[in-house]
Amino acid sequence: MAKIGNIDVGDFPLLLAPMEDVSDPPFRALCKEQGADVVYTEFISSEGLIRDAAKSVMKLDIYEKERPVGIQIFGANLESMLQSVEIVEKSGPDIIDINFGCPVKKVVSKGAGAGILKDIPLMVSLTEAMVKHTNLPITVKTRLGWDSDSIKIVEVAERLQDVGASAISIHGRTRVQMYKGEANWAPIAEVKNNPRMHIPVFGNGDVDTPEKAMEMRDKFGLDGAMIGRASIGYPWFFREVKHYFETGEHLAQPTMEERLDAARRHLQMAIDWKGEKLGVFETRRHYTNYFKGIPHFKDYRQKMVTSDDAADVFAAFDEVEKEFAGYEFV
Ligand SMILES: Cc1cc2nc3c(=O)[nH]c(=O)nc-3n(C[C@H](O)[C@H](O)[C@H](O)COP(=O)(O)O)c2cc1C
């Protein structure tokens, strides 16, 4: 049974990865319904939070129904990170996660995200200070290292544990790799096999089939799987993995009815949360996957992703319901 601080997260938990513009409250709620054991917000800038930038502050919203939920923050300045911890605490998350893995230039160039992999002492001291500054569990999400010549993740993970991190999620790529190539889980298994490690070690990167999740558990011996891209527009991935673990069989894909229900609720929750304009805009990226595989679907998808008006998108869902009722996804 894995535990993050005092929070019981079950046996081999499935974690929804933090994803910018994806892991928002509506999407997290849908993933939770479909079996995600822990969900994380997208990364939130500590500098934005302390400036009270509206966009950053809005990202702090959480729904009761998605717990346990972790709020992820990034930054490289100690004072800003500590102030952010205080701001984040007010939203009542169960966990605070530090992003030490984001590879994008604008983050890395400020020494934040994966940029900190070039300064391990700072990574450790920031984590320690944050742990001391809050009673909430602090978790860390990071990558294997800066590049293939600097993979010291076993030592780094142990040091983060020793200063009080409650769990670590490791994406099996270096910063230099960005998202290229295949994720390498072997170094993550080395972290887990370190006899001194006692906090949960979660694996991340390329888990896109139930078999891969099982491999992460049984072959690599990790404590849980963090899932990102496979869930975009497909929150059912979590239940499919769980079903496979329980039965060794693949669950049938969600029906048209379930997909339409998810799409409608997703859009409605997004509108309720951030208003029609943004709600319509930000749910668009999910529709391709919600309705993937349906032949001659282009016109319907086009309506869903180009209309600025929620009523038009809902009307497109109604048309799909009429046209494709009972369609079997294989
Ligand atoms: C659209 C998108 C946005 C992401 N945003 C974040 C983020 O805000 N914070 C973070 O730690 N990782 C972020 N990531 C990285 C994912 O959390 C994850 O580490 C990566 O996608 C690998 O896992 P996967 O193969 O299961 O997708 C993002 C990834 C994607 C695809």
Side-chain angles (χ1 to χ4, degrees):
M1 196 70 82
K3 272 186 136 188
I4 301 178
N6 289 327
I7 309 164
D8 225 321
V9 289
D11 199 15
F12 199 78
L14 304 179
L15 301 90
L16 171 66
M19 285 184 284
E20 186 177 19
D21 293 336
V22 177
S23 305
D24 59 8
F27 183 61
R28 297 196 306 261
L30 289 170
C31 290
K32 173 80 189 183
E33 281 173 24
Q34 297 302 332
D37 297 291
V38 181
V39 297
Y40 281 100
T41 67
E42 65 182 290
F43 70 165
I44 308 176
S45 160
S46 55
E47 303 298 338
L49 282 178
I50 62 173
R51 276 200 323 270
D52 198 27
K55 211 174 154 211
S56 299
V57 172
M58 192 171 186
K59 293 177 186 170
L60 295 174
D61 290 347
I62 52 183
Y63 296 136
E64 277 311 302
K65 60 186 170 189
E66 50 176 305
R67 292 186 186 281
V69 54
I71 291 183
Q72 188 189 63
I73 54 176
F74 73 98
N77 177 282
L78 175 64
E79 206 37 55
S80 310
M81 288 296 265
L82 294 182
Q83 276 187 49
S84 305
V85 165
E86 290 166 25
I87 297 167
V88 164
E89 275 181 335
K90 292 191 188 120
S91 292
D94 304 285
I95 299 162
I96 298 179
D97 186 70
I98 321 175
N99 178 318
F100 287 147
C102 178
V104 306
K105 231 184 197 148
K106 72 171 197 270
V107 172
V108 166
S109 63
K110 296 195 178 105
I116 208 149
L117 289 165
K118 283 185 154 176
D119 188 349
I120 303 299
L122 179 62
M123 184 183 193
V124 174
S125 63
L126 265 182
T127 306
E128 178 170 25
M130 289 172 68
V131 168
K132 286 186 174 150
H133 207 64
T134 180
N135 291 324
L136 291 173
I138 294 281
T139 59
V140 166
K141 176 163 181 280
T142 189
R143 289 183 173 235
L144 298 180
W146 178 262
D147 59 20
S148 55
D149 294 329
S150 60
I151 297 181
K152 300 192 197 89
I153 190 66
V154 174
E155 177 201 324
V156 169
E158 190 177 317
R159 289 177 67 182
L160 294 170
Q161 168 185 273
D162 289 351
V163 297
S166 294
I168 182 163
S169 302
I170 305 169
H171 178 183
R173 290 186 174 85
T174 62
R175 186 293 166 164
V176 165
Q177 275 179 294
M178 306 293 282
Y179 287 90
K180 290 195 280 286
E182 263 182 34
N184 181 5
W185 299 344
I188 314 176
E190 279 177 43
V191 172
K192 175 64 196 166
N193 290 335
N194 173 358
R196 283 210 64 246
M197 282 308 274
H198 54 81
I199 60 171
V201 178
F202 301 126
N204 171 239
D206 300 351
V207 177
D208 55 6
T209 60
E211 285 87 343
K212 285 197 196 167
M214 190 173 258
E215 203 184 344
M216 203 173 242
R217 184 185 72 175
D218 297 346
K219 183 167 168 209
F220 290 83
L222 303 183
D223 293 308
M226 178 177 268
I227 291 156
R229 288 166 293 180
S231 69
I232 300 179
Y234 203 77
W236 303 282
F237 187 67
F238 294 98
R239 78 172 185 198
E240 289 181 359
V241 172
K242 290 204 159 162
H243 182 85
Y244 187 74
F245 280 1
E246 277 160 26
T247 65
E249 283 170 17
H250 286 274
L251 190 66
Q253 285 198 32
T255 61
M256 181 57 106
E257 213 181 337
E258 286 177 293
R259 289 167 193 253
L260 280 164
D261 178 59
R264 284 178 176 128
R265 287 195 303 123
H266 195 159
L267 178 56
Q268 192 56 55
M269 284 192 279
I271 293 169
D272 294 345
W273 178 54
K274 49 184 141 186
E276 179 164 350
K277 192 163 173 246
L278 276 177
V280 166
F281 182 71
E282 290 188 5
T283 32
R284 281 180 185 163
R285 70 166 67 214
H286 293 270
Y287 299 141
T288 302
N289 278 356
Y290 276 153
F291 301 108
K292 198 174 186 167
I294 306 175
H296 313 299
F297 196 73
K298 210 168 135 219
D299 290 349
Y300 300 96
R301 181 176 301 117
Q302 203 60 15
K303 273 188 206 163
M304 291 174 195
V305 302
T306 54
S307 174
D308 294 328
D309 193 340
D312 290 342
V313 183
F314 281 118
F317 296 154
D318 292 345
E319 279 177 46
V320 169
E321 184 165 30
K322 263 195 224 131
E323 193 63 31
F324 298 101
Y327 177 80
E328 287 199 21
F329 290 85
V330 280

